[in-house]
Amino acid sequence: MGLNGDRPTPARTTMNAPVDPKKLIKGGLYDWEVIVGMEIHAQVSSRAKLFSGASTEFGGEPNDHVSLVDAAMPGMLPVINAECVAQAVRTGLGLKAKINLRSVFDRKNYFYPDLPQGYQISQYKDPIVGEGEVLVDMADGSSITVGIERLHLEQDAGKSLHDQDPLRSFVDLNRSGVALMEIVSRPDLRSSEEARAYVTKLRTILRYLGTCDGDMEKGSLRADVNVSVRRPGEPLGTRCEIKNVNSIRFIGQAIETEARRQIAILEDGGTIDQETRLFDPGKGETRSMRSKEEAHDYRYFPDPDLLPLEFDQAYVDALAEGLPELPDAKKARFVKAFGLSPYDAGVLVAERASADYYEAVAKGRDGKAAANWVINELFGRLNKEGLAIEATPVSAEQLGAIVDLIGEGVISGKIAKDLFEIVWTEGGDPRAIVESRGMKQVTDTGAIEAAIDRIIADNPDKVAQAKEKPTLLGWFVGQTMKATGGKANPAAVNALLKAKLGIA
Ligand code: MN
């Protein structure tokens, strides 16, 4: 949780923005606006934990990756992992946020069996990263800016295992002490769709930066979702926090479900209790976990084992130097350099590996043709097989050769799809395959003419109709392509048919 029960300060950007009627939820009596803010816990990509040298590797036997520090043995002292600090600063820079040269680690005290210290080392009043923002593109082409309130570093807890034994519970401390970045947004989101798009974009940025792998199935990215509703123009309603939602689809479902629950209560004359709730995707409901803690419940105080974290601007500047090109910049460059639509460019930059692949295909070629092949054929096929871009059997070089062969008029677009299929299943050099299998487009008008003459001779009724109904040309084109095994040059076929049928 962010500032833990304090109402987030109003957003700078959208809190008083006009309400878009399309985003309102229809209740039984009124229209309602849903207000969403998120606290994302993102696991820092690092080899060792935040304050110990134990491995952060996923999996392993329970309690394989636990140092004496992680197990909170008496007298053990935390030592900050410099790489985790660098990763948090990189992330802050990627979120266009203020980097705080001095931050403080605090103890957040609570009792839970998977928390051996009895407190979590976190940051409270002085986080490492302050205000920033994320630009989020929506499917309809619009975009919203979501304010970031802060990012702080903290330790993850262990895990209680309740399903190993009928009578006893066990604790696995492998995750205990793993570094997390808690990224707190402003309550700037106004629909489940915006919330999903925000998490998707944040995940993309983290993956580009290499600061979090974004793997939600392994728990590397978890969302706490704050939801409230109000009638447009009214003050903010009481919010509920839905804890630990672990997929983007569930985030959307949890918001819809929780908003409708609150609307039903309010329209019935009731009030919302501020509380922490759990989303049950199986039952499609949220249910109460506990009443919401306030910050003072945690008795925060600076951890006496750790000095304030201090670094200078030169350190930040050096990290900024090493940042990769981020998705917004890459998208703008693709639009400009390759003449792509913002939508296509957005699809291509969603993953760094996809963007790199596209760029390798597009370089020195028709950027739009390359985008069509990457998005429609390659991504389509990868999706169908459930493969990631890294596992593509068709390399950028091979796809580039296919695009070249079409551009040179050696093969038609239709034959190119067959060729893509051959390269996908068998591999090989596309140019050599076209040669050896006789896939070259027939541009020899003599051969095409012969085929057309035969079709005209066999179908006198259709020839007569075509003069009245020029759309019948399509039928003749189809027949000619069939007769030539799909290899006839379509432009030549069209021209010859029009001439022979007397269609203007
Ligand atoms: Mn937290």
Side-chain angles (χ1 to χ4, degrees), residues 1-2 4 39-41 108 120 122 152 154-155 180-184 224 243 300:
M1 58 202 63
N4 306 296
E39 294 157 16
I40 305 279
H41 284 95
K108 177 179 179 180
Q120 176 191 34
S122 180
H152 65 252
E154 64 184 25
Q155 303 172 296
L180 303 177
M181 298 179 281
E182 181 173 324
I183 303 168
V184 183
D224 297 343
K243 271 294 207 200
Y300 279 100

Side-chain angles (χ1 to χ4, degrees), residues 369 373 377 398-423 429-443 481 484-491:
W373 274 87
E377 299 305 320
Q398 288 168 317
L399 190 58
I402 295 175
V403 174
D404 283 344
L405 288 162
I406 306 167
E408 293 162 14
V410 176
I411 54 172
S412 66
K414 189 177 166 296
I415 292 286
K417 290 186 185 183
D418 298 339
L419 177 59
F420 177 83
E421 192 55 35
I422 294 169
V423 176
D429 171 17
R431 212 169 268 280
I433 293 169
V434 166
E435 279 297 334
S436 67
R437 304 204 188 182
M439 296 171 84
K440 272 194 178 167
Q441 187 159 247
V442 178
T443 41
M481 294 309 278
T484 55
K487 287 185 285 186
N489 179 310

Side-chain angles (χ1 to χ4, degrees), residues 144-462:
I144 54 169
T145 301
V146 178
I148 298 295
E149 185 180 308
R150 56 189 270 138
L151 174 156
H152 65 252
L153 276 170
E154 64 184 25
Q155 303 172 296
D156 204 352
K159 195 172 153 194
S160 298
L161 308 171
H162 303 296
D163 54 0
Q164 312 282 309
D165 186 280
L167 297 175
R168 294 173 299 173
S169 286
F170 296 96
V171 174
D172 174 8
L173 295 181
N174 280 349
R175 296 192 67 93
S176 172
V178 166
L180 303 177
M181 298 179 281
E182 181 173 324
I183 303 168
V184 183
S185 88
R186 302 264 174 200
D188 286 352
L189 300 157
R190 290 294 176 274
S191 66
S192 58
E193 194 194 352
E194 289 186 359
R196 282 188 282 120
Y198 164 70
V199 180
T200 304
K201 181 63 180 283
L202 185 62
R203 184 174 175 274
T204 296
I205 294 171
L206 295 171
R207 286 170 56 84
Y208 265 71
L209 290 165
T211 57
C212 168
D213 66 23
D215 190 337
M216 298 186 85
E217 273 168 33
K218 290 183 183 164
S220 300
L221 202 73
R222 287 114 72 185
D224 297 343
V225 191
N226 287 292
V227 180
S228 66
V229 298
R230 67 173 173 189
R231 290 171 62 193
E234 288 193 344
L236 284 176
T238 302
R239 69 196 165 111
C240 288
E241 178 179 5
I242 306 157
K243 271 294 207 200
N244 269 332
V245 190
N246 63 1
S247 86
I248 289 174
R249 191 161 56 94
F250 289 165
I251 289 171
Q253 290 173 1
I255 292 168
E256 295 283 336
T257 305
E258 176 60 14
R260 294 201 172 277
R261 184 189 73 88
Q262 293 183 13
I263 290 168
I265 292 172
L266 292 169
E267 290 195 342
D268 210 30
T271 53
I272 305 300
D273 295 327
Q274 183 171 325
E275 59 186 359
T276 301
R277 300 179 68 85
L278 271 185
F279 176 60
D280 182 336
K283 291 196 174 138
E285 61 177 30
T286 67
R287 57 172 176 269
S288 184
M289 222 175 131
R290 55 176 189 253
S291 71
K292 174 81 184 175
E293 303 82 355
E294 299 292 334
H296 59 249
D297 292 327
Y298 291 114
R299 297 164 356 264
Y300 279 100
F301 63 88
D303 192 310
D305 291 339
L306 288 158
L307 288 167
L309 178 61
E310 292 182 311
F311 42 77
D312 56 17
Q313 189 58 40
Y315 169 76
V316 178
D317 294 344
L319 289 171
E321 283 284 303
L323 290 188
E325 182 183 36
L326 291 173
D328 292 340
K330 202 182 277 289
K331 180 180 163 186
R333 185 168 61 79
F334 279 10
V335 168
K336 204 160 167 243
F338 299 116
L340 301 185
S341 69
Y343 181 82
D344 282 353
V347 170
L348 291 167
V349 306
E351 291 284 345
R352 196 167 160 180
S354 310
D356 289 347
Y357 184 101
Y358 166 72
E359 209 164 358
V361 176
K363 206 167 178 195
R365 299 193 175 93
D366 175 349
K368 279 188 190 162
N372 283 337
W373 274 87
V374 171
I375 294 172
N376 298 326
E377 299 305 320
L378 182 74
F379 289 1
R381 191 64 207 266
L382 288 169
N383 276 342
K384 202 171 135 202
E385 307 283 336
L387 293 175
I389 183 83
E390 289 85 353
T392 175
V394 178
S395 70
E397 222 184 333
Q398 288 168 317
L399 190 58
I402 295 175
V403 174
D404 283 344
L405 288 162
I406 306 167
E408 293 162 14
V410 176
I411 54 172
S412 66
K414 189 177 166 296
I415 292 286
K417 290 186 185 183
D418 298 339
L419 177 59
F420 177 83
E421 192 55 35
I422 294 169
V423 176
W424 178 283
T425 46
E426 301 170 27
D429 171 17
R431 212 169 268 280
I433 293 169
V434 166
E435 279 297 334
S436 67
R437 304 204 188 182
M439 296 171 84
K440 272 194 178 167
Q441 187 159 247
V442 178
T443 41
D444 167 8
T445 48
I448 300 173
E449 249 184 300
I452 290 177
D453 288 343
R454 246 188 336 271
I455 294 161
I456 286 180
D458 291 349
N459 299 280
D461 50 330
K462 286 237 164 43

